[in-house]
Amino acid sequence: MTKRILVEIIPQLKDNYSYLVYSNVNKLGFVIDPADAAPIIKFIKDNDIILSGILITHHHADHNSGVNDLIKFQSTKIYSPDKNINKTSNIVKEGDLIKSDFIEFEVIATSGHTLDHVVYCSKQNNLLFSGDALFRFGCGRIFEGTCDEMKRSLNKIEKLDDSINVYCGHEYTIHNLNFLKGVFHNDKMLDEIEHDVLKQIKNTKTSMPFNLGNEKKLNPFLSLGSSTYKNFMKRKGFGNVEMFRYLRDLRNNY
Ligand SMILES: [Zn+2]
């Protein structure tokens, strides 16, 4: 059997996502951000998965409330950035490597949404689990950090390779895209991607994963490289952080 790393997308609660990344050969797996253990346990049972660990991105309950039931079912390590998070066994910080027999994750600190927020990146497998830091066409609300902090965190993600597939914490994609289309009228790039995204959702019932390279062109919270975004900033007389703050404030009330 050819060794492959697979990602199961497990919808949670109203619009959350948990993920199970696993090896098709040795059936080892990591769960990311479990909120509701039941569908995750079902997948683990159906596929004989042995957990190598649970990875938590931040302290909000909709990203870790499933931990208790999950470890009652199968005991495993719980990696999180905050010792106060439900049953944490391994506290992670910027630059830590989580090594296992089938995959390695690098921890990237991404405060802004919360102060403790981290994302988990497997560079060898082109995977990024971005929690509530980066959404498709958007970013997390800034609850605990500052705009500057969030921007710095997103800059770290922007530096990652274009080939990375991103799996984020919520299905906000269409709402985010509608927001961008409302701000940046008649943008060809946004119209084109809308067509692709609707097709993806129709076929797979989810807009996950998404390509980071594309996201760098399309998501103004991540990068302002496109001519539409540059021209808009010029008209408004904004710098990068001002533009970020302007869009984040508008999106908060959208
Ligand atoms: Zn959150």
Side-chain angles (χ1 to χ4, degrees):
M1 193 189 283
T2 325
K3 188 183 161 214
R4 286 175 62 203
I5 302 294
L6 302 169
V7 180
E8 181 67 12
I9 301 170
I10 307 176
Q12 304 268 282
L13 312 178
K14 189 168 144 262
D15 50 32
N16 277 77
Y17 284 122
S18 174
Y19 300 102
L20 206 161
V21 52
Y22 65 103
S23 156
N24 68 330
V25 174
N26 59 20
K27 297 283 184 171
L28 295 173
F30 278 95
V31 172
I32 293 96
D33 281 357
D36 172 12
I40 303 169
I41 290 173
K42 185 178 183 314
F43 186 84
I44 290 172
K45 275 184 182 166
D46 290 350
N47 294 278
D48 299 319
I49 306 287
I50 302 154
L51 290 183
S52 299
I54 298 172
L55 310 179
I56 307 290
T57 57
H58 64 297
H59 69 79
H60 288 159
D62 62 332
H63 294 260
N64 55 62
S65 57
V67 165
N68 282 346
D69 287 344
L70 202 49
I71 57 170
K72 254 185 240 161
F73 169 72
Q74 201 184 106
S75 168
T76 190
K77 288 178 191 163
I78 294 145
Y79 297 86
S80 99
D82 180 347
K83 66 177 182 346
N84 297 316
I85 292 175
N86 219 350
K87 304 278 195 301
T88 295
S89 59
N90 296 54
I91 298 173
V92 296
K93 58 178 191 323
E94 171 82 10
D96 280 357
L97 291 178
I98 299 169
K99 295 181 179 184
S100 79
D101 287 338
F102 78 104
I103 197 167
E104 183 176 301
F105 289 103
E106 184 180 330
V107 177
I108 303 170
T110 48
S111 58
H113 175 68
T114 59
L115 294 179
D116 64 354
H117 201 292
V118 297
V119 299
Y120 296 95
C121 184
S122 168
K123 288 180 177 166
Q124 301 84 349
N125 296 288
N126 287 328
L127 296 172
L128 176 71
F129 295 96
S130 68
D132 289 356
L134 177 70
F135 295 130
R136 193 166 185 183
F137 311 128
C139 72
R141 262 174 210 258
I142 299 164
F143 285 120
E144 296 175 6
T146 62
C147 264
D148 290 326
E149 212 171 346
M150 189 65 158
K151 190 92 192 72
R152 277 199 299 277
S153 294
L154 292 171
N155 283 347
K156 291 186 196 172
I157 295 179
E158 196 190 347
K159 288 200 181 90
L160 297 172
D161 199 89
D162 282 358
S163 59
I164 280 179
N165 292 310
V166 187
Y167 295 80
C168 71
H170 288 270
E171 182 57 66
Y172 292 159
T173 301
I174 293 296
H175 197 59
N176 285 339
L177 189 54
N178 287 338
F179 166 72
L180 292 185
K181 288 182 62 160
V183 178
F184 307 101
H185 304 287
N186 304 320
D187 181 68
K188 200 166 155 256
M189 194 175 66
L190 293 174
D191 286 339
E192 276 171 17
I193 196 71
E194 184 179 31
H195 178 262
D196 294 347
V197 173
L198 290 174
K199 201 165 135 196
Q200 184 185 4
I201 293 173
K202 190 166 174 257
N203 291 337
T204 66
K205 297 190 169 55
T206 173
S207 67
M208 298 302 125
F210 54 98
N211 169 263
L212 187 60
N214 282 339
E215 198 64 14
K216 289 177 194 175
K217 294 184 202 130
L218 294 160
N219 185 337
F221 293 100
L222 193 61
S223 162
L224 294 161
S226 97
S227 56
T228 300
Y229 301 153
K230 275 187 189 148
N231 292 338
F232 186 94
M233 274 168 72
K234 217 175 183 178
R235 276 204 309 278
K236 295 267 185 189
F238 286 161
N240 281 6
V241 176
E242 282 167 304
M243 176 75 164
F244 183 90
R245 188 172 289 123
Y246 173 81
L247 290 173
R248 192 54 262 177
D249 285 348
L250 274 185
R251 178 62 181 83
N252 286 347
N253 299 308
Y254 178 71

